Amino acid sequence: MPERQPYQGPARKLVLAFDIGTTYSGVSYSILDPGEPPVICCVTRFPATDHVGGNSKIPSIVYYDQGGTPRAFGGEALQESIIETAEDEGWIKLEWWKLHMRPKDMPSNHVSDHDIPPLPPTMNAVQVLSDFMKYLFKCTKTYIEETHASGRDMWTSFENNIDFVLSHPNGWEGPQQTQIRRAAVLAGLVPDSPEGQTRIQLVTEGEASLHFCLGSANTADSFKGDQGVMVIDAGGGTIDVSSYYMTISPTTFQEIAPAECRLQGSVFVGRRARKFLQEMLSGSKFGTEDDVAQMTSEFDKTTKHRFSNPAEPSYIRFGTVRDRDPAFNIKSGQLKLPGTEVAALFEPSVAAIFAAVENQRRLVTKPINSIFLVGGFAASDWLFSRIQDHIKPLELNFCRPDSQTNKAVAEGAIAFYLDHRVSARVAKFTYGTRCAIGFDKNDEQHKLRAASAIPRPSGRTVLPNAFSAILHKGTTVSEAKEFRKDFIIECAERTSCDTVATEIVCYRGRSSNPRWADSEPGMFSNLCTVHADTSHVSKTLSPRRGFAGLQFYRQQFSIVLMFGLTELQAQISWMEDGEEKRGPATVVFDQVVEEI
């Protein structure tokens, strides 16, 4: 990859990337000095953490007291003194809380809210995320002040000029992105203003992982000339799979298939292990809830990571040499498990990765040459070998780019900010809006909906619940490209045209050209609402005559969608005094929108 050019900004700036995962979290950063090439650094020291997660990660654990105040985070939450105090004072331990933010319409039949440790009734995942962001920021400030020469003076030099890169799974969408931005405001990272929001960039974990791979010496041979690459980010909660095609002069990447996200990360291997142990030890004196919980914890810490051969037994050490129950394969305080049973615990996650890989290969518009495996789950030798065996017949390059694969997202997020290599992305769904269309008495679909016809002030009859697609699934979108469609509203009063608002809707079904929102209501979901203040142009609208001579006003506008960035951008545009005007997103108003 080309070397980074010196930073061209007018003043020193700090860029922070938070990778807040289901099981572990980390921070990377870059201090941008004018005239100096940027360097990516990692926070490698956190309170009460010694080599947890490869020295650059902390557990995504928080203890809250009964009043809802956070009392311990990360490695601190694993200290014996904290655990004792938590038990004495009734503190609440939260882990896997990130999964409460998942889109509820995401394919995840094996996961429900009951499978995830619950949040306290008075709390939500955004509050927990906010508290965790605040803690990571505090740790980063301390690390920079203590690690760099004249660290405190250095921090003072950029403390009011900090940008943030926040990563999220490929499957997180507009509502989750809004929650992440809200959490950053609640954490005090940026002010609650449009200017504050410009200091936040969001990036998918798949795209961050691509940028990490670009900077790894182990992948250099895979990035020469025109190449297709697939990145598998196997994390604690999700498996994110993305495919890109590289072109040179200049070096850019184009997404060549809709990115995928599967809820089959490493925590689900542990969850299956817990259920297996409960069933296996039923009838044993070591089958109590506490013993099974301890065994599951040890399985997650050691057995899961060491497992590599189903032909050999695995062991979970949980007690002392006096702890025995030979009938249940427990001797000297450890439980012996058949290797085939342990392999079976991995299999649903392995199958999910295989399915995602094959789906990507089916959908890509360019051939894949290399596949990279990153993420905390990638450290599993058994997972690596299973994927390797699957890929070997395909004659594709396959590797884990770095020994500390769990650093990929945090470091890659900074590289995303600095290098911005991806120039085009693929729409994962079809996007548009619900609207009304003119009633056609000769159309069979229209006749089926005749009872819902609505008369408009102009005298025309329209049908509601139509869907107008603005961007279709699978379309490749460059960052600069806009998609738009024209619509009208008709109002009896001129003042009703002072504002225009409509919902941006996502269609997740299989139809290539969905036309009716009521035909598959479960496949349509609202992403956001776009709004425009058209009061200035409404004053210039001339009255029209409609049915029975009734007076009405007609306002024309366009919905504009921009999907080239990692976040959806949507606006309403209209013409005013010969110039195009645009409005920001805001709340919805009750108006009938018709497609032209």
Side-chain angles (χ1 to χ4, degrees), residues 356-368:
V357 168
E358 292 308 315
N359 199 43
Q360 289 282 294
R361 292 182 63 234
R362 180 177 61 84
L363 294 174
V364 292
T365 56
K366 300 279 188 178
I368 296 294

Side-chain angles (χ1 to χ4, degrees), residues 102-154:
R102 74 192 188 284
K104 295 304 186 283
D105 46 20
M106 202 175 161
S108 55
N109 294 334
H110 64 292
V111 182
S112 69
D113 285 338
H114 298 294
D115 299 314
I116 304 169
L119 298 173
T122 58
M123 299 195 66
N124 58 51
V126 174
Q127 292 173 286
V128 183
L129 177 60
S130 171
D131 289 334
F132 213 88
M133 285 181 176
K134 189 182 299 184
Y135 177 74
L136 290 179
F137 184 77
K138 176 184 175 183
C139 292
T140 303
K141 180 176 184 290
T142 300
Y143 179 83
I144 291 176
E145 288 181 342
E146 294 179 352
T147 304
H148 292 265
S150 304
R152 292 190 176 182
D153 291 337
M154 174 180 283

Side-chain angles (χ1 to χ4, degrees), residues 104-352:
K104 295 304 186 283
D105 46 20
M106 202 175 161
S108 55
N109 294 334
H110 64 292
V111 182
S112 69
D113 285 338
H114 298 294
D115 299 314
I116 304 169
L119 298 173
T122 58
M123 299 195 66
N124 58 51
V126 174
Q127 292 173 286
V128 183
L129 177 60
S130 171
D131 289 334
F132 213 88
M133 285 181 176
K134 189 182 299 184
Y135 177 74
L136 290 179
F137 184 77
K138 176 184 175 183
C139 292
T140 303
K141 180 176 184 290
T142 300
Y143 179 83
I144 291 176
E145 288 181 342
E146 294 179 352
T147 304
H148 292 265
S150 304
R152 292 190 176 182
D153 291 337
M154 174 180 283
W155 183 268
T156 302
S157 70
F158 52 57
E159 65 178 341
N160 294 318
N161 193 18
I162 303 176
D163 283 357
F164 296 87
V165 189
L166 307 176
S167 57
H168 61 80
N170 289 355
W172 269 217
E173 300 166 12
Q176 290 74 42
Q177 291 171 333
T178 300
Q179 290 177 323
I180 292 170
R181 287 183 171 276
R182 183 59 187 161
V185 170
L186 293 174
L189 303 186
V190 298
D192 189 8
S193 65
E195 292 75 21
Q197 289 299 320
T198 61
R199 291 169 46 197
I200 298 174
Q201 291 190 26
L202 301 187
V203 61
T204 62
E205 291 172 3
E207 193 163 319
S209 296
L210 169 72
H211 281 82
F212 168 81
C213 293
L214 288 171
S216 172
N218 296 335
T219 64
D221 290 341
S222 297
F223 294 112
K224 293 180 179 178
D226 294 351
Q227 296 281 332
V229 299
M230 185 185 300
V231 181
I232 304 171
D233 177 13
T238 60
I239 306 289
D240 295 293
V241 185
S242 316
S243 298
Y244 303 90
Y245 192 75
M246 172 184 175
T247 56
I248 56 176
S249 299
T251 301
T252 59
F253 287 81
Q254 174 181 312
E255 197 174 51
I256 52 176
E260 297 205 33
C261 182
R262 308 284 176 112
L263 276 172
Q264 275 291 4
S266 61
V267 299
F268 297 105
V269 178
R271 195 188 70 161
R272 288 187 285 271
R274 184 186 186 101
K275 183 178 180 181
F276 170 74
L277 292 171
Q278 287 172 334
E279 295 173 354
M280 178 184 180
L281 297 175
S282 177
S284 169
K285 64 180 180 180
F286 297 107
T288 66
E289 184 176 340
D290 288 344
D291 282 333
V292 170
Q294 184 180 351
M295 291 182 197
T296 304
S297 177
E298 289 302 315
F299 176 90
D300 278 333
K301 291 176 185 176
T302 57
T303 311
K304 182 171 68 177
H305 300 291
R306 293 174 181 170
F307 178 72
S308 61
N309 187 353
E312 299 176 356
S314 291
Y315 297 88
I316 301 176
R317 180 170 294 280
F318 69 94
T320 69
V321 293
R322 297 186 182 90
D323 293 323
R324 293 172 52 83
D325 194 342
F328 291 88
N329 287 328
I330 296 174
K331 297 177 182 178
S332 301
Q334 63 180 12
L335 170 66
K336 180 180 178 180
L337 298 174
T340 53
E341 297 286 2
V342 178
L345 301 175
F346 281 80
E347 205 53 31
S349 296
V350 171

Side-chain angles (χ1 to χ4, degrees), residues 489-500 532-535 537-538 541 553-555 591:
I489 55 171
E490 290 181 356
C491 309
E493 300 292 334
R494 178 186 283 150
T495 54
S496 298
C497 295
D498 286 351
T499 57
V500 175
D533 178 357
T534 54
S535 57
V537 71
S538 69
L541 294 177
Y553 298 86
R554 176 179 291 172
Q555 172 71 283
Q591 292 176 325

